[in-house]
mmCIF file of all heavy atoms in Angstrom:
data_model
loop_
_atom_site.group_PDB
_atom_site.id
_atom_site.type_symbol
_atom_site.label_atom_id
_atom_site.label_comp_id
_atom_site.label_asym_id
_atom_site.label_seq_id
_atom_site.Cartn_x
_atom_site.Cartn_y
_atom_site.Cartn_z
ATOM 1 N N SER A 87 7.347 11.133 38.282
ATOM 2 C CA SER A 87 7.426 9.666 38.323
ATOM 3 C C SER A 87 6.306 9.025 37.517
ATOM 4 O O SER A 87 6.511 8.025 36.819
ATOM 5 C CB SER A 87 7.365 9.169 39.774
ATOM 6 O OG SER A 87 6.142 9.545 40.378
ATOM 7 N N GLU A 88 5.093 9.597 37.592
ATOM 8 C CA GLU A 88 3.970 9.067 36.816
ATOM 9 C C GLU A 88 4.213 9.258 35.330
ATOM 10 O O GLU A 88 3.890 8.392 34.515
ATOM 11 C CB GLU A 88 2.678 9.755 37.245
ATOM 12 C CG GLU A 88 2.208 9.355 38.649
ATOM 13 C CD GLU A 88 0.993 10.143 39.087
ATOM 14 O OE1 GLU A 88 0.778 11.237 38.536
ATOM 15 O OE2 GLU A 88 0.284 9.679 39.988
ATOM 16 N N THR A 89 4.778 10.386 34.964
ATOM 17 C CA THR A 89 5.083 10.632 33.556
ATOM 18 C C THR A 89 6.085 9.613 33.038
ATOM 19 O O THR A 89 5.939 9.071 31.936
ATOM 20 C CB THR A 89 5.647 12.047 33.381
ATOM 21 O OG1 THR A 89 4.695 12.983 33.873
ATOM 22 C CG2 THR A 89 5.941 12.332 31.905
ATOM 23 N N LEU A 90 7.124 9.301 33.837
ATOM 24 C CA LEU A 90 8.122 8.320 33.429
ATOM 25 C C LEU A 90 7.502 6.922 33.287
ATOM 26 O O LEU A 90 7.855 6.169 32.384
ATOM 27 C CB LEU A 90 9.249 8.281 34.454
ATOM 28 C CG LEU A 90 10.132 9.545 34.516
ATOM 29 C CD1 LEU A 90 11.142 9.422 35.645
ATOM 30 C CD2 LEU A 90 10.845 9.773 33.190
ATOM 31 N N LYS A 91 6.563 6.592 34.178
ATOM 32 C CA LYS A 91 5.883 5.295 34.076
ATOM 33 C C LYS A 91 5.084 5.200 32.782
ATOM 34 O O LYS A 91 5.064 4.165 32.119
ATOM 35 C CB LYS A 91 4.957 5.093 35.273
ATOM 36 C CG LYS A 91 5.692 4.843 36.584
ATOM 37 C CD LYS A 91 4.715 4.678 37.724
ATOM 38 C CE LYS A 91 5.436 4.459 39.052
ATOM 39 N NZ LYS A 91 4.472 4.333 40.178
ATOM 40 N N ILE A 92 4.400 6.284 32.428
ATOM 41 C CA ILE A 92 3.606 6.290 31.187
ATOM 42 C C ILE A 92 4.508 6.096 29.977
ATOM 43 O O ILE A 92 4.224 5.308 29.065
ATOM 44 C CB ILE A 92 2.809 7.599 31.079
ATOM 45 C CG1 ILE A 92 1.740 7.660 32.176
ATOM 46 C CG2 ILE A 92 2.163 7.734 29.703
ATOM 47 C CD1 ILE A 92 1.039 8.997 32.281
ATOM 48 N N VAL A 93 5.632 6.817 29.967
ATOM 49 C CA VAL A 93 6.571 6.699 28.852
ATOM 50 C C VAL A 93 7.123 5.279 28.768
ATOM 51 O O VAL A 93 7.227 4.691 27.690
ATOM 52 C CB VAL A 93 7.717 7.714 29.021
ATOM 53 C CG1 VAL A 93 8.797 7.481 27.963
ATOM 54 C CG2 VAL A 93 7.187 9.144 28.907
ATOM 55 N N SER A 94 7.455 4.690 29.925
ATOM 56 C CA SER A 94 7.983 3.330 29.949
ATOM 57 C C SER A 94 6.967 2.321 29.430
ATOM 58 O O SER A 94 7.306 1.407 28.678
ATOM 59 C CB SER A 94 8.398 2.969 31.375
ATOM 60 O OG SER A 94 8.848 1.634 31.447
ATOM 61 N N CYS A 95 5.703 2.486 29.825
ATOM 62 C CA CYS A 95 4.647 1.583 29.349
ATOM 63 C C CYS A 95 4.499 1.671 27.832
ATOM 64 O O CYS A 95 4.327 0.649 27.158
ATOM 65 C CB CYS A 95 3.321 1.928 30.023
ATOM 66 S SG CYS A 95 3.229 1.416 31.763
ATOM 67 N N LYS A 96 4.550 2.875 27.295
ATOM 68 C CA LYS A 96 4.434 3.043 25.846
ATOM 69 C C LYS A 96 5.590 2.360 25.130
ATOM 70 O O LYS A 96 5.402 1.720 24.088
ATOM 71 C CB LYS A 96 4.384 4.526 25.503
ATOM 72 C CG LYS A 96 3.089 5.214 25.912
ATOM 73 C CD LYS A 96 3.085 6.677 25.501
ATOM 74 C CE LYS A 96 1.755 7.350 25.878
ATOM 75 N NZ LYS A 96 1.739 8.787 25.500
ATOM 76 N N GLU A 97 6.784 2.448 25.699
ATOM 77 C CA GLU A 97 7.935 1.790 25.090
ATOM 78 C C GLU A 97 7.789 0.280 25.135
ATOM 79 O O GLU A 97 8.111 -0.418 24.165
ATOM 80 C CB GLU A 97 9.210 2.219 25.811
ATOM 81 C CG GLU A 97 9.591 3.693 25.583
ATOM 82 C CD GLU A 97 10.818 4.091 26.376
ATOM 83 O OE1 GLU A 97 11.277 3.266 27.203
ATOM 84 O OE2 GLU A 97 11.314 5.218 26.160
ATOM 85 N N GLN A 98 7.285 -0.247 26.253
ATOM 86 C CA GLN A 98 7.082 -1.690 26.370
ATOM 87 C C GLN A 98 6.034 -2.191 25.389
ATOM 88 O O GLN A 98 6.167 -3.277 24.809
ATOM 89 C CB GLN A 98 6.672 -2.053 27.806
ATOM 90 C CG GLN A 98 7.747 -1.810 28.851
ATOM 91 C CD GLN A 98 8.979 -2.645 28.623
ATOM 92 O OE1 GLN A 98 8.887 -3.763 28.122
ATOM 93 N NE2 GLN A 98 10.136 -2.113 28.969
#
Side-chain angles (χ1 to χ4, degrees):
S87 61
E88 290 175 338
T89 302
L90 292 176
K91 289 179 181 178
I92 293 171
V93 173
S94 177
C95 286
K96 289 182 178 179
E97 291 177 353
Q98 294 298 328

